[in-house]
């Protein structure tokens, strides 16, 4: 059932964001006041001055429940996919909650049963690249710039929250949904959780800071490289085993947990309560660092082969090692054949970019990783493979992208490095001011 749901959902993954007007003028204060239309808007910029934090819009809902505030991504028919309007709504909400003395912690979740958040609105970006709006002035940033800058800025804001956030990873968690959740102090997975970063399959790259967190995986840099290149899907307890989630529990236990959350205050009480309702958990300190866990409790299939293959220094050597493993019998040979097929079917240019991106991410801090993401995003969206990936998967739905180059040995190193070059100053530094 999970695999059938995954196949259906992955086809919809990146096309579900609503259309936005990239030329519209947005103001942070206006956004919050519009969002909090049922609240005391005179207190919008000072949530501690008596503002009612219960608020709702079509796409995002905020509720004050006892000692915590709950944010819900409210697009269940679109698998709660993240669009620009949601990004622009969420940022001031977080800024307000950071200052609200009545909010001890935050809970972030998705509406419905199918998804936490299934990705970002790259279909709108594709449309804006293929047919740029004729009404835009020369001074108006394109949607491809605006969306990624503001999405990454929101992810960075979440990573800096002074208060604990619990991300409720129910259902599908992919792409932009990973960016919203992975930097939360606590991340709860369930039997129906499904995680992936499948961007190489659409001619893009694993962004939202993936080069930072995937290069620091519990099972090593090589396992993160495997997830980044193949888009391999983790489900259920495997999210906890890999460290994507800090806790794993059943849905009935989570329902019980929700009854006690409103009365919890301090971070220590919150963590001990989360631990008590979980089948598996790991202790997390105030900086988000997780304690180590016994290796025998987090074993994963094919780990030795994954570490060997995806620790190779080049795409050629990765392919060669997989080819050698296909000669083996049983599950080992089958895994190698399946993995080789996946790599051959995705964008070879994206694989090569991802190889370099992950290596840089291993030595960079989080802001530097997002800075690199921004550089890559501004160039790759104009490339053949991104356009072809979106066309074949989401527009024509023919599933036959015409990748250029077609094979890994045709990728030119000098061309790959151009993606990583600094952008113009105002674009390069805007996100980090």
């Amino acid at each position: 059932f999970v695999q059938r749901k995954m196949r259906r959902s992955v086809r919809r993954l990146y096309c579900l964001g609503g259309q936005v007007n990239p030329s519209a003028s947005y103001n942070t204060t206006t956004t919050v006041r519009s969002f909090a239309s049922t609240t005391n808007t005179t207190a919008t910029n000072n949530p501690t001055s008596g503002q009612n934090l219960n608020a709702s819009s079509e796409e995002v809902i905020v509720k004050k429940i006892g000692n915590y505030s709950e944010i819900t991504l409210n697009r269940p028919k679109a698998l709660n996919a993240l669009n620009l309007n949601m990004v622009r709504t969420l940022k001031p909400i977080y800024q307000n909650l950071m200052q609200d003395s009545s909010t001890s912690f935050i809970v972030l979740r998705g509406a419905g049963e199918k998804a936490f958040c299934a990705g970002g609105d790259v279909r709108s970006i594709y449309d804006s690249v293929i047919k740029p709006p004729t009404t835009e002035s020369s001074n108006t940033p394109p949607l491809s710039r605006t969306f990624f800058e503001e999405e990454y800025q929101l992810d960075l804001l979440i990573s800096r929250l002074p208060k604990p956030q619990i991300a409720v990873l129910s259902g599908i968690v992919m792409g932009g949904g990973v960016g919203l959740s992975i930097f939360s102090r606590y991340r709860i997975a369930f039997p129906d959780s499904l995680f992936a970063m499948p961007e190489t399959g659409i001619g893009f790259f694993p962004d939202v800071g993936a080069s930072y967190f995937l290069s620091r995986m519990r099972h090593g840099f090589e396992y993160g490289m495997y997830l980044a290149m193949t888009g391999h899907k983790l489900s259920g307890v495997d999210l906890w085993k890999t460290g994507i989630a800090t806790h794993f529990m059943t849905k009935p236990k989570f329902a019980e947990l929700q009854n006690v959350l409103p009365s919890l205050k301090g971070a220590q009480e919150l963590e001990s309560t989360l631990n008590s309702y979980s089948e598996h958990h790991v202790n997390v300190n105030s900086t988000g660092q997780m304690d180590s866990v016994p290796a025998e409790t987090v074993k994963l299939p094919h780990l030795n082969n994954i570490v060997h293959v995806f620790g190779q220094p080049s795409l050629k050597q990765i392919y060669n090692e997989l080819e050698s493993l296909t000669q083996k019998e049983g599950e080992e040979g089958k895994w190698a054949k399946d993995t080789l097929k996946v790599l051959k079917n995705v964008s070879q240019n994206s694989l090569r970019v991802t190889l370099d991106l992950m290596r840089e991410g291993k030595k960079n801090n989080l802001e530097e990783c997002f800075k690199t993401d921004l550089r890559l995003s501004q160039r790759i969206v104009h490339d053949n493979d991104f356009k072809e990936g979106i066309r074949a998967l989401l527009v024509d739905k023919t599933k036959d992208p015409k990748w250029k180059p077609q094979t890994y040995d045709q990728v030119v190193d000098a061309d790959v490095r151009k993606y990583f070059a600094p952008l113009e100053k105002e674009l390069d530094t805007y996100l980090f001011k």
Side-chain angles (χ1 to χ4, degrees):
F1 169 76
V2 169
Q3 292 301 315
R4 290 199 304 272
K5 180 177 74 171
M6 176 272 293
R7 287 194 293 269
R8 289 195 302 269
S9 300
V10 123
R11 289 194 294 267
R12 304 175 61 197
L13 178 58
Y14 288 109
C15 63
L16 297 168
Q19 299 292 324
V20 297
N21 179 4
S23 64
S25 174
Y26 287 81
N27 176 279
T28 298
T29 303
T30 303
T31 303
V32 178
R33 287 177 179 171
S34 173
F35 172 80
S37 58
T38 61
T39 71
N40 176 8
T41 57
T42 60
T44 296
N45 293 317
N46 182 8
T48 63
S49 64
Q51 179 187 4
N52 176 6
L53 291 176
N54 290 337
S56 65
S57 74
E58 183 179 346
E59 298 177 336
V60 180
I61 297 172
V62 179
K63 292 181 180 178
K64 185 67 169 60
I65 307 175
N67 292 320
Y68 76 94
S69 291
E70 180 182 82
I71 303 173
T72 302
L73 309 175
N74 189 36
R75 302 183 66 219
K77 292 182 179 179
L79 302 180
N80 299 315
L82 186 69
N83 61 32
L84 182 57
N85 291 323
M86 294 170 73
V87 169
R88 287 175 165 171
T89 300
L90 285 165
K91 182 183 174 184
I93 288 171
Y94 276 109
Q95 290 172 325
N96 285 344
L97 291 178
M98 288 167 70
Q99 303 172 43
D100 174 39
S101 60
S102 71
T103 294
S104 297
F105 59 95
I106 301 166
V107 173
L108 177 64
R109 63 189 307 167
E113 296 296 323
K114 294 182 179 180
F116 167 78
C117 174
D121 183 15
V122 293
R123 172 60 192 271
S124 287
I125 294 169
Y126 166 87
D127 290 340
S128 72
V129 170
I130 296 296
K131 296 179 180 179
T134 57
T135 57
E136 287 189 14
S137 70
S138 58
N139 295 325
T140 302
L143 179 60
S144 57
R145 168 184 167 175
T146 306
F147 178 78
F148 288 118
E149 278 189 335
E150 297 191 25
E151 180 190 23
Y152 299 162
Q153 189 174 37
L154 174 62
D155 294 341
L156 276 170
L157 177 64
I158 292 173
S159 76
R160 298 166 180 156
L161 287 175
K163 300 177 182 182
Q165 173 165 277
I166 303 170
V168 183
L169 306 181
S170 177
I172 301 165
V173 188
M174 297 185 184
V178 177
L180 291 177
S181 60
I182 196 69
F183 304 112
S184 303
R185 188 181 303 181
Y186 306 114
R187 305 175 296 276
I188 304 176
F190 305 93
D192 70 341
S193 297
L194 190 68
F195 166 96
M197 294 294 292
E199 288 81 5
T200 58
I202 59 166
F204 200 56
F205 67 97
D207 65 335
V208 297
S211 63
Y212 182 84
F213 60 81
L214 290 183
S215 66
R216 293 163 173 80
M217 298 276 308
R218 175 179 287 156
H219 294 85
F221 169 81
E222 299 84 1
Y223 195 83
M225 183 74 82
Y226 167 64
L227 296 180
M229 284 189 163
T230 66
H232 177 72
K233 298 159 191 68
L234 299 173
S235 59
V237 74
D238 284 348
L239 275 75
W240 176 78
K241 288 183 177 181
T242 56
I244 296 298
T246 58
H247 294 75
F248 176 80
M249 67 179 68
T250 64
K251 289 294 182 68
K253 278 293 183 181
F254 182 71
E256 294 177 19
L257 172 65
Q258 286 181 287
N259 292 328
V260 301
L261 284 178
S263 62
L264 303 181
K265 294 181 180 179
Q268 186 174 357
E269 183 182 16
L270 173 61
E271 180 163 342
S272 63
T273 302
L274 288 174
N275 293 350
S276 68
Y277 282 86
S278 300
E279 289 186 16
H280 302 285
H281 70 270
V282 61
N283 293 325
V284 185
N285 66 25
S286 60
T287 64
Q289 295 296 314
M290 296 183 290
D291 288 349
S292 60
V293 294
E296 62 272 12
T297 66
V298 292
K299 289 181 179 178
L300 293 171
H302 310 293
L303 182 59
N304 289 339
N305 283 331
I306 289 171
V307 170
H308 173 69
V309 169
F310 289 90
Q312 299 300 317
S314 69
L315 274 182
K316 179 180 179 179
Q317 288 166 285
I318 288 173
Y319 272 105
N320 287 345
E321 293 300 323
L322 282 172
E323 290 282 4
S324 297
L325 286 172
T326 60
Q327 305 305 312
K328 296 202 172 186
E329 297 181 355
E331 286 299 313
E332 196 172 15
K334 182 179 183 303
W335 172 83
K337 291 174 184 175
D338 291 344
T339 304
L340 196 59
K341 181 179 180 180
V342 169
L343 291 185
K344 288 181 176 180
N345 284 339
V346 302
S347 164
Q348 301 306 294
N349 191 61
S350 291
L351 287 180
R352 183 65 180 78
V353 168
T354 298
L355 187 70
D356 282 14
L357 176 67
M358 287 287 290
R359 286 178 179 153
E360 289 198 6
K362 187 177 181 180
K363 61 185 180 183
N364 287 343
N365 62 36
L366 183 59
E367 284 199 2
E368 289 169 336
C369 289
F370 273 109
K371 188 174 184 178
T372 302
D373 285 350
L374 188 60
R375 291 173 176 177
L376 297 179
S377 70
Q378 297 310 289
R379 287 154 178 148
I380 285 183
V381 294
H382 297 287
D383 276 3
N384 169 82
D385 281 10
F386 177 77
K387 297 173 185 175
E388 269 296 294
I390 300 299
R391 177 203 63 78
L393 185 66
L394 305 178
V395 181
D396 298 339
K397 300 181 181 179
T398 54
K399 302 179 185 178
D400 61 345
K402 306 298 188 294
W403 304 127
K404 294 181 182 178
Q406 294 182 337
T407 60
Y408 74 87
D409 55 350
Q410 295 174 329
V411 180
V412 179
D413 287 352
D415 291 341
V416 171
R417 294 314 306 170
K418 290 178 183 178
Y419 295 113
F420 292 82
L423 299 164
E424 295 180 10
K425 184 176 181 181
E426 63 272 15
L427 185 61
D428 198 26
T429 61
Y430 166 77
L431 181 61
F432 307 103
K433 286 182 179 177

